[in-house]
Amino acid sequence: MSTKIPPGAPIWADANTPDLARDLDFYMRLFKWSSFGTGEEFGHYTELCLGSTVSVARAVGGLAPNPPGDPDALSAWGVAFHVADCFEAAAAAEKLGAQIVSHPVRVGDDLVYAALKDPDGGAFGLFEPMNEHVGFMAFGEPGSAVWFEYVYDGAPMEAMQFYSELLNWSMKAPGEDELSHDSPYVGLWTHGHLTGGAVEFGGARMALGPEMRMKPHWLVCFGTASVDLTAAKAVDLGGRVAVAPVDDPGGRMAVLVSPTGAHFTIMESKKLD
């Protein structure tokens, strides 16, 4: 199905939540998002958008209430990657050592989705779009996702081999002429079928400090005009700062935690100017 998002690239991000009302208030005030619920039929899944009316709203992500069987689970953001056939991709992932958490399921007339864990235990999704109106409608601008980062207590290049084989990614370590990172780092690229060129969408790095106690995980990075102001606002709204604002090779960034426990990154980058 036609979409501007290249095969293999992140196509969607969402978070589970034990308290939908609380998280909606937090994110809507933090990023000036609007929300559109799907109702009981789809488990009150809520789409988060830039723009206040349906006619101009552009989707940036979603929130899903925790399932009845685990109502108090901590919130966590997750990333789903664009695949042409979710059933084939899930089977291929399993052969490569992934664990299928939920088998591919069709969601209305919009998409087919499967939830998995990679061989190191990191959660991710596979997303087959069935029309051009699903997935990110806003990307690479303040208030939307701008970057995706895999955090792993080990060698990033080894962890990314699974994704490279499954999703046809290219990987690149920083060269001698590039700014170095505080820990081993690998840039991640997918091949854009519209532009014919490679598209860098994220990276993988070794865990640092408190992150070493966490399972391997994907961090969603949202753009902002001011990391420092957004971090301070998050605290005022009931969140907290896990990694204080710092200048990174990709731009100034910070890691925040929502009131219900979801880690996410904010970044101000020259790319957003």
Side-chain angles (χ1 to χ4, degrees), residues 22 26 30 74-75 210 213-214 230-245 254-266:
R22 186 180 186 189
F26 173 77
L30 184 66
L74 285 177
S75 183
R213 297 192 295 270
M214 301 174 66
T230 302
K233 186 176 182 180
V235 173
D236 290 341
L237 293 173
R240 62 182 177 88
V241 176
V243 176
V255 179
L256 308 181
V257 185
S258 75
T260 56
H263 287 68
F264 61 98
T265 305
I266 54 172

Side-chain angles (χ1 to χ4, degrees), residues 59-77:
V60 297
L63 282 176
N66 283 344
D70 195 11
D72 299 322
L74 285 177
S75 183
W77 279 94

Side-chain angles (χ1 to χ4, degrees), residues 2-222:
S2 176
T3 175
K4 294 181 180 180
I5 299 171
I11 189 172
W12 193 241
D14 57 14
N16 67 292
T17 173
D19 191 333
L20 180 61
R22 186 180 186 189
D23 268 345
L24 278 176
D25 180 70
F26 173 77
Y27 290 114
M28 291 172 66
R29 293 170 65 185
L30 184 66
F31 292 117
K32 297 182 180 179
W33 287 342
S34 56
S35 66
F36 300 89
T38 58
E40 187 174 355
E41 181 183 0
F42 294 102
H44 297 286
Y45 189 92
T46 300
E47 194 171 82
L48 305 168
C49 301
L50 292 175
S52 58
T53 64
V54 173
S55 61
V56 299
R58 295 179 296 141
V60 297
L63 282 176
N66 283 344
D70 195 11
D72 299 322
L74 285 177
S75 183
W77 279 94
V79 182
F81 302 102
H82 179 189
V83 295
D85 188 310
C86 193
F87 288 90
E88 288 185 2
E94 193 170 30
K95 289 181 180 179
L96 291 170
Q99 174 191 348
I100 297 180
V101 177
S102 64
H103 288 272
V105 60
R106 180 167 172 162
V107 182
D109 296 323
D110 293 327
L111 62 113
V112 182
Y113 177 84
L116 302 92
K117 289 186 177 180
D118 65 36
D120 294 301
F124 70 101
L126 297 174
F127 185 119
E128 175 190 343
M130 298 177 68
N131 63 65
E132 61 183 5
H133 304 295
V134 294
F136 295 123
M137 294 292 122
F139 186 83
E141 62 184 273
S144 70
V146 298
W147 194 251
F148 300 87
E149 197 163 68
Y150 190 85
V151 181
Y152 172 65
D153 183 18
M157 187 70 78
E158 294 179 4
M160 293 298 99
Q161 290 291 341
F162 162 80
Y163 292 97
S164 177
E165 188 168 349
L166 177 66
L167 299 170
N168 193 32
W169 290 354
S170 295
M171 301 180 290
K172 180 184 177 184
E176 294 182 0
D177 59 337
E178 299 177 63
L179 293 172
S180 63
H181 291 251
D182 292 334
S183 60
Y185 192 89
V186 175
L188 302 173
W189 303 71
T190 188
H191 301 282
H193 67 297
L194 295 180
T195 62
V199 178
E200 187 177 19
F201 64 86
R205 63 175 173 82
M206 182 179 288
L208 296 170
E211 294 175 334
M212 298 182 70
R213 297 192 295 270
M214 301 174 66
K215 296 179 180 178
H217 59 282
W218 285 97
L219 276 174
V220 182
C221 177
F222 297 103

